[in-house]
Amino acid sequence: MALIVQKYGGTSVGDLERIRNVARRALAARKDGNDVVVVVSAMAGETNRLLRLTGQIAKRPSQREQDVVVSTGEQVSVGLLALAIQEMKGKARSFLGHQVRILTDSAFSNARIRSIDGEKLFESLKRKEIAVVAGFQGIDDQGNITTLGRGGSDTTAVALAAALKADACEIFTDVDGVYTTDPNLCAKARKLDRISYEEMLELASLGAKVLQIRSVEFAMKYKVPLWVKSSFTEDPGTLVCEEDKAMEEVVVSGIALTRDESRFVVRNVPDKPGVAAKIFGTLAELGIVVDVIVQTPAHEDGRTDLAFTVGRVDVDRANEQMRKIARQIGAGKVEHEEGIAKVSIVGVGMRNHAGVAAKMFQVLADEGVNIRVISTSEIKVSCLIDEKYAELAVRALHTAFGLDKKEA
Ligand code: ADP
Ligand code: ASP
Ligand code: MG
């Protein structure tokens, strides 16, 4: 008998009929002789609705109270799913994060899981119940409710699979698996049968929201066999697994896109030790996530320009801070510009192929897309471009790197 952790996202539990569909699927896995733990997200749109409420009552809501509010979406889903399973004559019991003891740190709205106590779930499975666990939420060591960041139910599922030593973790969503790029953006996107943990980690961190980054980190660290499948079809989906030789032969496996970046340029920064540490240390303390950073070589007067990007959500806070810091360190103007997108190509095959970045630049040039900033790592190349060219860039790169599906 295998132990399976299944996770169903917001669209998959978007209305009562879909919740019944999930109940049927979980029961089918149980009838096949498996122990089944099901993690669910809030119903589609619910987390956004709750966030709007907190934003309407407070300009800058306390993150602790915000987590109290937004975690309720998942509470509704687990209760409804457990009821749906019971109506189908199955045994089920719902669990909230604190009841399983999903212990996290206290970084409200973006907490990290520290430990999970599997006992309650094992007891439930022993009673032959389907254990239905709320995604996205945990509790800190002071007993406060925490949430794991947007898309965090993926991480709940994989962390549970690791803690319970499950035989597989299946993420059920509204697409058939992991594609070469977002299938809702590019009609020629092709479903992948397999993808390495490392490539998936890059794609997730570069904007492919099909899996939350931390869920892939957990899967990679604890070697959890991770499947991405559709809640609505019987397609076998995509297996996220260890890299092998066949994967290395493919130069580019996927393309990711992040929109909504904002670019800051701090002019005339004194070129001396400690300046970058001061700027980025302060932003980090405030929980502002900084993405691509570029520093120009020092000008003749010994000063440099420093550019970096942050997500749109952090723009106002970053702007306020940067003006303060620039004064403190004696730098010049702080400029800021919105409407930037980051398009990235990812593939483990890049390690042993030359000229991949140059090809990317040429493809963008041929489309008349200007590259603002470039950043690379061993298995990815990212370019910052104007947001209005984002989809064009993705489609052109998808074709140029041979990723288009055959019949399209
Ligand atoms: P869920 O609510 O089930 O967690 P999400 O909306 O978080 O679902 O993630 C699924 C979505 O991820 C898809 O609808 C798709 O638009 C998007 N996506 C982005 N990149 C990819 C990719 N490479 N492969 C598959 N889906 C992707
Ligand atoms: N409900 C949460 C969100 O919308 C968590 C999740 O869906 O994974 O981000
Ligand atoms: Mg998601």
Side-chain angles (χ1 to χ4, degrees), residues 122-310:
F122 282 127
E123 284 168 12
S124 171
L125 295 174
K126 226 181 263 162
R127 291 191 297 266
K128 307 215 177 315
E129 293 163 355
I130 293 177
V132 183
V133 183
F136 185 50
Q137 53 173 260
I139 191 170
D140 73 2
D141 56 6
Q142 304 294 309
N144 298 303
I145 291 174
T146 55
T147 65
L148 308 178
R150 297 311 303 268
S153 301
D154 297 333
T155 302
T156 306
V158 180
L160 272 174
L164 303 174
K165 301 201 167 32
D167 298 285
C169 181
E170 301 173 326
I171 304 289
F172 288 92
T173 183
D174 54 6
V175 287
D176 278 341
V178 179
Y179 280 68
T180 46
T181 192
D182 186 343
N184 289 316
L185 196 79
C186 175
K188 293 179 181 170
R190 180 162 47 83
K191 200 203 78 186
L192 298 164
D193 293 332
R194 295 180 323 139
I195 186 166
S196 68
Y197 291 123
E198 217 183 327
E199 287 169 320
M200 193 62 238
L201 194 61
E202 284 283 6
L203 286 174
S205 65
L206 294 166
K209 71 163 180 169
V210 62
L211 288 173
Q212 199 200 32
I213 307 168
R214 285 183 193 157
S215 71
V216 188
E217 282 170 0
F218 262 104
M220 190 162 153
K221 184 162 173 198
Y222 297 101
K223 304 210 184 322
V224 177
L226 179 61
W227 290 89
V228 178
K229 298 174 184 238
S230 164
S231 301
F232 308 111
T233 70
E234 295 305 320
D235 193 287
T238 302
L239 176 63
V240 188
C241 59
E242 302 242 44
E243 180 182 329
D244 63 26
K245 274 266 163 288
M247 292 175 181
E248 282 167 29
E249 275 154 30
V250 183
V251 181
V252 173
S253 313
I255 298 179
L257 176 67
T258 320
R259 297 176 196 272
D260 280 356
E261 298 230 358
S262 270
R263 176 164 168 264
F264 282 85
V265 182
V266 192
R267 300 280 177 202
N268 293 317
V269 178
D271 186 25
K272 58 181 187 202
V275 167
K278 165 85 184 158
I279 295 175
F280 297 113
T282 312
L283 295 178
E285 270 166 30
L286 293 166
I288 296 173
V289 182
V290 173
D291 192 11
V292 182
I293 302 175
V294 182
Q295 182 176 327
T296 59
H299 316 151
E300 273 172 10
D301 61 0
R303 288 175 174 261
T304 67
D305 292 339
L306 194 66
F308 60 89
T309 59
V310 303

Side-chain angles (χ1 to χ4, degrees), residues 18 23 49 57 87 130 138-139 181 188 193 202 226 256 314 322 330 352 355-356 364 396:
R18 288 187 171 181
R49 187 184 73 86
I57 209 149
E87 283 301 297
I130 293 177
I139 191 170
T181 192
K188 293 179 181 170
D193 293 332
E202 284 283 6
L226 179 61
D314 289 327
M322 281 318 304
N352 9 334
V356 182
L364 294 177

Side-chain angles (χ1 to χ4, degrees), residues 282-283 286 288 317-326:
T282 312
L283 295 178
L286 293 166
I288 296 173
R317 288 191 310 141
N319 213 352
E320 201 177 296
Q321 282 307 317
M322 281 318 304
R323 283 169 208 284
K324 274 193 214 152
I325 301 170

